[in-house]
Amino acid sequence: MQHAVSPIGFVRSCFKEKFAIPRQPHLAPAARGVLELVSPFDTGEAVAGLEQVSHVWVLFLFHLALEDKPRLKVRPPRLGGNQSIGVFASRSTHRPNGIGQSVVKLDKVEPSRLWISGIDLLDGTPVLDIKPYVPYADRRDEALNAIADAAPELIDVAWDDAALLQAREHGQRLGEPLVALIEQCLAQDPRPAYQKPEPSRRYGARLWDVDVRWHYPQPGLIRVLEVAQA
C-alpha cells in the first residue's frame, strides 16, 4: 500500500547546510527559524488555539537524504560513526520513508507562520505535520535509552578577538543571537567523531547569511577564526 503526502509548510532556518546542525533538537536554544505554512493551512484557522502551547512536534522530510533503497543498518554519530546498529534503533537521517521528528519551542504564532527555536532543521525542510507537545503524555520519566543515555559532552569554544567582534556585528544586523548560536552549535563538535583534525585544518559552516570558520588548535578545543558575510 502506498500513501501520498504533501508538505503543509516549509522551514526558513538559520541552518543553510547540513554540517554543524545539532544532532538533536534543543541542543542549541539560539537556533531559530520560521515555519511558513502553505495553502490551505495559511489562513489562521489551522493554528487557532496553538498560542496556548509552548512546544510542538514537527514531522518533516529529510529532503536531502531521501534514498531509493532502504538501509537496514546505519552508523550513528553517537557511536563514533564506526559501529552499526539497526535503523530503527537510531535517529539517523537515513529513514525508510525519509521522515524525521523534532520537538521545538513555539515562540510566536501568526496566521501563516510559526516562529520556532531550538531547531535542528535545515533551511527549506518540508514539514508534513505539526502536533502540540502534551507534557503529561509525552514526557516519560521512566524512559531509558542505553545507546544515548545523556547529552553529548561539550567541547570548549574560544574566539579570535576579530571573529568575536564580527559575530557581534552580524548578530546585531540580523537581529539574532549569533554569538550564542555559533557557540552552541560548535560546542557539539560537528566533525565526525572518528576524524582527528590537524591544527592547520580549517572547517566552515553557514549560519543565516554568514560563513563561520574555525579550527582545532588542540584536542578538546575549537577556536573561531572568522565570521564573514557570505
Side-chain angles (χ1 to χ4, degrees):
M1 184 179 69
Q2 293 186 339
H3 184 72
V5 296
S6 299
I8 55 92
F10 295 86
V11 175
R12 180 162 55 83
S13 166
C14 59
F15 298 116
K16 306 304 179 182
E17 57 187 50
K18 291 185 289 184
F19 189 53
I21 296 180
R23 297 183 177 105
Q24 302 291 346
H26 289 288
L27 295 180
R32 306 200 294 199
V34 179
L35 200 171
E36 298 181 335
L37 300 171
V38 299
S39 180
F41 307 105
D42 59 350
T43 63
E45 294 179 75
V47 298
L50 204 54
E51 69 280 353
Q52 302 177 69
V53 175
S54 69
H55 293 73
V56 292
W57 290 99
V58 176
L59 278 72
F60 60 93
L61 279 180
F62 289 110
H63 62 299
L64 297 186
L66 297 176
E67 299 172 333
D68 294 330
K69 184 178 179 180
R71 298 193 189 194
L72 303 184
K73 304 196 80 174
V74 294
R75 300 174 182 267
R78 188 58 183 265
L79 298 179
N82 290 317
Q83 182 178 341
S84 295
I85 61 173
V87 64
F88 297 132
S90 81
R91 293 194 182 187
S92 166
T93 60
H94 303 287
R95 313 307 307 172
N97 289 298
I99 297 174
Q101 64 175 14
S102 293
V103 175
V104 302
K105 187 174 183 295
L106 185 57
D107 296 318
K108 184 168 64 172
V109 179
E110 294 183 350
S112 62
R113 296 187 296 182
L114 303 180
W115 300 76
I116 53 180
S117 61
I119 64 175
D120 58 347
L121 304 168
L122 181 66
D123 191 58
T125 292
V127 174
L128 302 178
D129 203 355
I130 304 161
K131 298 185 179 184
Y133 182 88
V134 182
Y136 80 85
D138 293 341
R139 183 179 63 238
R140 309 308 304 170
D141 294 335
E142 74 277 15
L144 171 68
N145 186 329
I147 297 172
D149 59 352
E153 186 175 347
L154 301 180
I155 189 171
D156 290 333
V157 178
W159 292 80
D160 277 359
D161 291 341
L164 182 56
L165 179 60
Q166 291 170 339
R168 288 171 175 166
E169 290 175 346
H170 287 302
Q172 185 175 19
R173 173 180 59 83
L174 292 165
E176 292 290 337
L178 186 60
V179 172
L181 176 63
I182 293 170
E183 291 181 343
Q184 291 166 8
C185 291
L186 296 191
Q188 310 298 324
D189 197 356
R191 67 178 172 83
Y194 56 81
Q195 193 177 91
K196 304 302 179 186
E198 296 294 329
S200 59
R201 180 169 182 175
R202 301 297 187 260
Y203 291 77
R206 182 165 297 180
L207 302 175
W208 293 117
D209 66 350
V210 299
D211 288 328
V212 182
R213 308 210 176 275
W214 69 91
H215 76 139
Y216 296 78
Q218 62 190 56
L221 177 65
I222 281 175
R223 178 172 290 276
V224 184
L225 301 171
E226 183 182 33
V227 181
Q229 190 166 2

